[in-house]
């Protein structure tokens, strides 16, 4: 069962991530508590799993991948904390738990998000102290620094906020999906390939595969916002609609959205197979995005 395999791989990634979390001590203890509260809330750990499995796809071994896995999850978690704030999505629940700003207050939630972003880079830099090719670590760090920024995740989030309540054209919608969601997925897979020593041609191919995976993942997320079960997805359904957000489903409808998730996933799998390397779980994970319910 792919669901059981995903849980096992998520647990493996989680065990690695937890090794890098800050200790809840000192005068700034409260922000450490808020950081850890959100990052230990569970979830699919999709980004670190994709990173690790891409690393394995190209024959990567060793612990150099671990601080980057922790870092990408810290960056993803910071983005969720800030997304949930009253100024943005104003969500009270995430992954079945009360969100950070509800538990710790808005000011501490903002600081916890800021802290996770900064701590992510501090964590990733630990790879320089490991027995690894420092040029590959530096190249991976460049990707980690750029993809979450204004030319990546933040850029997509900016347009998403600006266009809330307005009609979004196809180009704008693609930009949001390519960046707001796709950038971190792309960073995850590309970093895995880089640290495993893949050549530039393979890295470029992985980037394209990751773009399709990210796009499919976000469309499925939009579908779940309308068709999902709040007890399964861990947050209220129809929250995007209620907040006036333009999504792939509102633009193209449910049927085309479902069809495009399948097309994107199948294309990603086909391109993965063309690489000439084999990782059956990575292939099955990408396929599972079509039918996920959370």
């Amino acid at each position: 069962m792919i669901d059981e395999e995903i849980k096992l791989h998520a647990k493996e990634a989680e065990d690695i991530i937890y090794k890098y979390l800050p200790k809840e001590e000192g005068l700034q203890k409260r922000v450490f508590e808020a950081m850890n509260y959100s990052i230990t809330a569970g979830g699919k750990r999709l980004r670190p799993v994709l990173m690790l499995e891409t690393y394995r796809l190209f024959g990567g071994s060793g612990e150099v991948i671990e601080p980057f896995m922790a870092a990408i999850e810290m960056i993803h978690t910071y983005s969720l904390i800030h997304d949930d704030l009253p100024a943005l999505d104003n969500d009270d629940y995430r992954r079945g738990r009360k969100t950070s700003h509800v538990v710790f207050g808005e000011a501490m939630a903002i600081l916890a998000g800021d802290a996770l972003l900064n701590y992510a880079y501090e964590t990733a830099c630990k790879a320089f102290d490991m027995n690894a090719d420092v040029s590959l670590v530096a190249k991976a760090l460049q990707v980690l620094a750029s993809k979450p920024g204004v030319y990546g995740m933040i850029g997509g989030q900016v347009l998403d906020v600006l266009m809330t309540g307005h009609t979004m054209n196809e180009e704008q919608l693609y930009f949001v999906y390519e960046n707001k969601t796709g950038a971190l997925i792309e960073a995850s897979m590309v970093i895995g390939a880089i640290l495993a020593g893949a050549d530039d041609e393979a890295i470029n191919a992985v980037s394209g595969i990751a773009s399709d995976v990210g796009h499919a993942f976000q469309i499925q997320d939009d579908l779940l916002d309308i068709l999902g079960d709040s007890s399964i997805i861990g947050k209220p359904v129809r929250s995007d609609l209620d907040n006036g957000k333009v999504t792939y489903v509102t633009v193209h409808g449910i049927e085309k959205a479902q069809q495009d998730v399948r097309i994107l996933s199948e294309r990603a799998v086909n391109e993965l197979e063309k690489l000439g390397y084999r990782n059956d779980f990575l292939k099955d994970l990408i396929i599972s995005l079509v039918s996920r319910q959370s």
Side-chain angles (χ1 to χ4, degrees):
M1 286 286 292
I2 183 61
D3 289 345
E4 291 304 314
E5 281 193 70
I6 289 173
K7 286 178 183 177
L8 287 173
H9 283 78
K11 178 63 166 58
E12 179 187 15
E14 198 164 80
D15 289 344
I16 290 169
I17 293 161
Y18 283 11
K19 292 194 301 184
Y20 291 92
L21 297 184
K23 294 180 180 179
E24 297 177 5
E25 58 188 22
L27 295 179
Q28 74 274 52
K29 176 182 177 182
R30 189 63 170 166
V31 78
F32 293 146
E33 292 173 345
M35 292 163 68
N36 291 346
Y37 173 82
S38 291
I39 208 165
T40 59
K44 291 169 283 293
R45 310 299 186 191
L46 177 66
R47 291 148 193 85
V49 168
L50 284 170
M51 185 185 291
L52 180 59
E53 294 308 315
T54 305
Y55 182 65
R56 288 170 169 167
L57 175 71
F58 291 102
S61 61
E63 63 180 356
V64 68
I65 196 72
E66 293 187 359
F68 281 94
M69 291 171 63
I72 202 73
E73 191 69 5
M74 290 173 189
I75 293 171
H76 174 56
T77 302
Y78 117 77
S79 73
L80 298 182
I81 292 174
H82 283 188
D83 272 356
D84 291 334
L85 289 169
L88 290 172
D89 291 348
N90 194 26
D91 282 329
D92 290 343
Y93 286 89
R94 166 79 65 176
R95 294 169 177 164
R97 302 173 73 182
K98 290 184 177 179
T99 49
S100 183
H101 69 89
V102 173
V103 176
F104 295 94
E106 192 171 350
M108 194 56 63
I110 292 170
L111 289 171
D114 293 344
L116 279 168
L117 178 60
N118 281 274
Y119 198 59
Y121 296 111
E122 183 178 341
T123 299
C125 285
K126 293 180 188 295
F128 284 113
D129 298 325
M130 297 175 174
N131 185 23
D133 185 333
V134 294
S135 66
L136 296 182
V137 173
K139 191 175 179 180
L141 196 58
Q142 285 181 306
V143 174
L144 189 72
S146 62
K147 286 298 180 181
V150 291
Y151 296 104
M153 182 182 71
I154 293 296
Q157 178 77 325
V158 167
L159 186 59
D160 190 37
V161 169
L162 290 174
M163 295 305 294
T164 296
H166 301 281
T167 301
M168 197 181 299
N169 63 37
E170 188 73 19
E171 180 186 8
Q172 291 168 325
L173 189 65
Y174 181 82
F175 180 87
V176 170
Y177 283 29
E178 177 72 11
N179 291 281
K180 183 182 175 184
T181 301
L184 288 196
I185 289 176
E186 187 175 343
S188 301
M189 296 184 71
V190 167
I191 287 170
I194 288 171
L195 291 176
D199 61 29
D200 289 343
E201 184 179 356
I203 290 169
N204 288 335
V206 166
S207 179
I209 292 166
S211 176
D212 283 344
V213 172
H215 206 159
F217 187 86
Q218 184 58 55
I219 297 172
Q220 184 67 9
D221 207 48
D222 294 343
L223 285 164
L224 289 173
D225 185 68
I226 294 175
L227 304 175
D229 183 334
S230 60
S231 66
I232 297 175
I233 63 176
K235 63 180 182 178
V237 294
R238 301 182 66 85
S239 60
D240 287 340
L241 283 177
D242 292 343
N243 288 326
K245 289 208 167 184
V246 179
T247 72
Y248 203 88
V249 177
T250 61
V251 172
H252 294 290
I254 291 173
E255 187 175 343
K256 178 167 172 52
Q258 291 172 327
Q259 179 185 22
D260 287 351
V261 169
R262 289 192 294 272
I263 290 171
L264 288 163
S265 298
E266 288 170 4
R267 186 167 70 188
V269 168
N270 289 337
E271 291 301 314
L272 184 68
E273 291 178 336
K274 286 180 185 178
L275 287 172
Y277 298 86
R278 182 167 178 171
N279 183 328
D280 290 338
F281 172 72
L282 181 58
K283 174 183 171 181
D284 291 343
L285 176 61
I286 292 171
I287 294 170
S288 75
L289 296 177
V290 177
S291 58
R292 70 184 176 91
Q293 297 301 309
S294 64

